[in-house]
Amino acid sequence: MTDITVVLPGVLQPLAGGQSVLTAPADGPMTVEKLLDSVTSGYAVLARRLRDETGALRRFVNVYVDGDEVRRLRGLDTEVVPGQEVLIVQSVAGG
C-alpha cells in the first residue's frame, strides 16, 4: 500500500497541527473527495476551510493533482492514485 501526499500552503498548516504534508493510505485509485475526507478527518477547521456545507470546494481553494487543477478535470471526482502529489493552494483576495 502506498500513500497519497497532500501538500498544504503555509496559511493552512496551523489548521493541520502545523504539518505541511498530510498523507492518506491508498491501495488503489481514490477520488479527490475521498482523499480530502481522509486527510481532514482529524482537522475539522481545515475541512471547513477547504469545502463548504454542501461539500463543494470553496471558491478560493484550488486543488492540483500532479500540476493539473481539479476543476479543469473532474472536480472532486478526479481520481488520484498512489504516488501522485496533491497540492492545495488557497488564493488570497484583496486589492
Side-chain angles (χ1 to χ4, degrees), residues 8-19:
L8 297 175
V11 69
L12 294 178
Q13 291 173 15
L15 306 179
Q19 298 179 81

Side-chain angles (χ1 to χ4, degrees), residues 6-9 11-12 15 32 36 40 45-52 55-64 68-72 75-76 86-93:
V6 177
V7 180
L8 297 175
V11 69
L12 294 178
L15 306 179
V32 169
L36 292 178
T40 62
V45 176
L46 175 62
R48 287 192 304 273
R49 181 73 60 92
L50 299 179
R51 294 187 283 176
D52 65 19
L57 284 177
R58 292 198 179 272
R59 182 175 171 196
F60 295 109
V61 173
N62 297 311
V63 178
Y64 296 85
D68 293 318
E69 210 276 323
V70 298
R71 285 187 179 95
R72 296 170 196 253
L76 291 174
V86 176
L87 174 64
I88 297 174
V89 177
Q90 184 166 357
S91 302
V92 178

